[in-house]
Amino acid sequence: PDVVIEAQFDDNDAEHGQDHLQDVLTDDIKKLSLGAGEKGEAKQDDGPKVNDPRLLPDKFLQRTAKVVFILEKKHSRAATGFIKLLADKNSELFKRCAMFSPVDHRVPRVYVSLADCPPDFVTRPEDYSNTLFICRIVDWKEDSNFAAGQLAKSLGQAGEIEPETEGILTEYGVDFSDFPPEALECLPQSLPWVISPGELAKRRDLR
């Protein structure tokens, strides 16, 4: 079958020789196309090789690259989710770890130590089925299907505004702690604070 190649052209480039480039591309495509013989056998024209990208102008080539190094890790490696017991009660891992399931499915499931879980979690796991936890990934071995992490804290019941908000801020690494005294000292100390008449005179009132 014939090879169909599509190219997207910018109308603004027509003023700068775009018509000529399009004619060159059309001629090159004809050289690269495969014709079918009378018996349906594919034959190649006597022109240049079909896999030679030098035939096309640079404007119509798709640039490609590959990642060679991670310069900076932007994810906080913290996630909000729920904890539950492992399914295999007879395994040695069942006695040491629980499974953390993140709410964000882009984050992998994590093994967490039972020592980080609430004391009565093993005996009453159903009590924590709707409790949100913050877990931070600390390691992920190559021979393991799940990452390893540590429970940071319990946020509260899922569906409530404050726990959900705190979980989102923690996942994205937003510092929502109280302002330090140095920052609060920059604010007016005499309350209630009002704008002075002189300042109002210099401003445009948009209230």
Side-chain angles (χ1 to χ4, degrees), residues 41-71:
E41 296 179 355
K43 64 179 181 179
Q44 181 176 346
D45 292 343
D46 296 333
K49 296 181 179 180
V50 297
N51 59 351
D52 190 354
R54 291 174 296 181
L55 295 175
L56 300 177
D58 290 342
K59 184 176 184 64
F60 306 112
L61 296 179
Q62 175 65 49
R63 301 287 185 239
T64 61
K66 66 177 182 178
V67 177
V68 296
F69 183 75
I70 298 177
L71 184 63

Side-chain angles (χ1 to χ4, degrees), residues 66-126:
K66 66 177 182 178
V67 177
V68 296
F69 183 75
I70 298 177
L71 184 63
E72 182 181 2
K73 296 179 180 179
K74 302 296 289 185
H75 195 272
S76 63
R77 303 181 74 83
T80 306
F82 306 91
I83 57 174
K84 59 182 179 180
L85 294 176
L86 299 181
D88 189 3
K89 297 183 179 181
N90 298 323
S91 65
E92 187 66 25
L93 199 60
F94 179 85
K95 303 176 183 179
R96 298 184 291 106
C97 298
M99 178 64 70
F100 175 82
S101 298
V103 175
D104 188 349
H105 296 291
R106 296 173 298 179
V107 182
R109 286 182 290 176
V110 183
Y111 284 136
V112 294
S113 174
L114 288 177
D116 295 340
C117 300
D120 58 342
F121 169 69
V122 177
T123 58
R124 302 176 61 87
E126 63 278 357

